């Protein structure tokens, strides 16, 4: 079983739509969680950390469910600029493990 | 620019040749990582340094791969006797001490083995 698994998508949504997707992780002792964004042929960049109580950053909402070992990301009011691959990242001690990514395409 | 720097950005080589990539992390970051990424996949962990100490090496890394960080600053990743399956983007990243800090990536070194 992979350490981090994601729905690969792609999710094709119109501008203004809401899109949400999940990620599951295998190690129940994982300590911290993140969503990274990766644009085509670019390096990954931190989108947001994921806190136990859930957190928002503008149009982005992240949730963590430790009991079921999944993390979610919701994007409201999608913009064309949100088109990217979203990588779920799980931190076990010093090591960060990445999912394969969920591709989101926002169309005009 | 004080971000993570990698070079060369692109390397095309023939099978069987050796290649070396260099990474210069953000100066105050003591943790340095190497990842490999192929098309349609997320970055796969290869190895990790805390200062000059290599603390973990993935099972993905065969004996043909070696990484060093001699003075706890820049790092090199060498691949000996390259194979076509080594073709990938090699990403270096760094972060500060602690487990909640952001990981900063370089732009990567793309290897093509012919």
């Amino acid at each position: 079983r992979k350490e981090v698994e994601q729905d690969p998508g792609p999710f094709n949504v119109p501008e203004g739509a809401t899109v949400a997707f999940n990620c599951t992780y295998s190690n129940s002792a994982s300590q911290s969680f993140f969503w990274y964004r990766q644009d085509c042929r670019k390096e990954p960049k931190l989108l947001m950390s994921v806190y136990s109580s859930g957190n928002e950053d503008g149009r982005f909402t992240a949730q963590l469910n430790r009991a079921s070992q999944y993390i979610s990301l919701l994007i409201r009011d999608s913009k064309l600029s949100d088109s990217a691959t979203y990588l779920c990242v799980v931190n076990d001690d010093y090591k960060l493990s990445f999912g394969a990514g969920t591709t989101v395409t926002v169309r005009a | 620019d004080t971000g993570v720097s990698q070079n060369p950005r692109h390397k095309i080589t023939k099978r069987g040749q050796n290649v070396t990539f260099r990474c210069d992390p953000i100066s105050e970051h003591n943790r340095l990582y190497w990842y490999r990424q192929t098309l349609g996949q997320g970055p796969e962990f290869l190895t990790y340094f805390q200062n000059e100490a290599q603390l973990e090496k993935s099972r993905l890394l065969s004996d043909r791969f070696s990484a060093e960080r001699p003075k706890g600053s820049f790092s090199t990743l060498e691949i000996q006797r390259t194979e076509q399956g080594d073709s990938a983007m090699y990403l270096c990243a760094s972060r500060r001490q602690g487990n909640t800090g952001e990981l900063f990536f370089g732009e990567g070194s793309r290897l093509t083995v012919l």
Side-chain angles (χ1 to χ4, degrees):
Chain A
R1 183 182 174 187
K2 288 186 177 181
E3 293 168 313
V4 183
E5 298 206 50
Q6 290 186 248
D7 181 346
F11 289 83
N12 293 298
V13 299
E15 271 188 292
T18 296
V19 58
F21 40 88
N22 294 336
C23 151
T24 59
Y25 60 95
S26 60
N27 184 357
S28 60
S30 296
Q31 299 164 334
S32 51
F33 310 88
F34 308 89
W35 284 102
Y36 276 67
R37 170 188 170 133
Q38 187 170 28
D39 294 311
C40 187
R41 298 190 174 275
K42 297 286 190 180
E43 73 275 20
K45 293 184 178 179
L46 178 67
L47 177 68
M48 60 194 300
S49 301
V50 185
Y51 302 121
S52 296
S53 54
N55 50 297
E56 277 189 18
D57 184 357
R59 298 179 294 104
F60 297 83
T61 300
Q63 296 280 352
L64 168 63
N65 185 318
R66 284 191 181 270
S68 301
Q69 294 180 213
Y70 78 81
I71 308 151
S72 65
L73 181 67
L74 182 146
I75 308 173
R76 287 187 304 277
D77 188 23
S78 300
K79 310 291 184 191
L80 294 176
S81 58
D82 295 334
S83 297
T85 297
Y86 292 85
L87 299 164
C88 176
V89 184
V90 175
N91 192 152
D92 301 320
D93 193 11
Y94 55 81
K95 178 181 170 183
L96 288 94
S97 299
F98 286 73
T102 297
T103 299
V104 173
T105 302
V106 182
R107 62 182 188 274
Chain B
D1 187 343
T2 57
V4 178
S5 175
Q6 291 188 247
N7 65 80
R9 295 286 312 282
H10 303 276
K11 179 71 177 179
I12 300 173
T13 191
K14 292 182 179 178
R15 190 175 52 188
Q17 299 295 304
N18 299 343
V19 296
T20 300
F21 300 118
R22 175 177 169 128
C23 171
D24 288 89
I26 294 172
S27 57
E28 62 266 29
H29 289 182
N30 67 334
R31 297 187 170 195
L32 186 146
Y33 300 76
W34 285 98
Y35 284 84
R36 178 172 65 190
Q37 188 173 27
T38 54
L39 194 63
Q41 299 299 315
E44 294 176 296
F45 172 81
L46 294 180
T47 192
Y48 157 71
F49 289 86
Q50 182 162 311
N51 300 311
E52 66 275 10
Q54 186 175 20
L55 298 187
E56 183 167 338
K57 186 175 173 180
S58 168
R59 290 189 301 273
L60 291 174
L61 248 57
S62 73
D63 291 343
R64 298 184 296 104
F65 288 72
S66 61
E68 294 183 343
R69 194 182 183 195
K71 296 182 180 179
S73 56
F74 74 92
S75 175
T76 57
L77 176 69
E78 181 183 17
I79 309 173
Q80 296 182 325
R81 305 181 303 282
T82 52
E83 300 173 357
Q84 287 185 324
D86 297 332
S87 296
M89 177 72 84
Y90 290 84
L91 293 163
C92 176
S94 70
R95 74 195 298 204
R96 288 191 180 88
Q97 185 76 15
N99 294 328
T100 57
E102 179 178 354
L103 196 60
F104 290 85
F105 283 88
E107 293 181 299
S109 293
R110 182 171 296 281
L111 174 65
T112 301
V113 182
L114 301 176

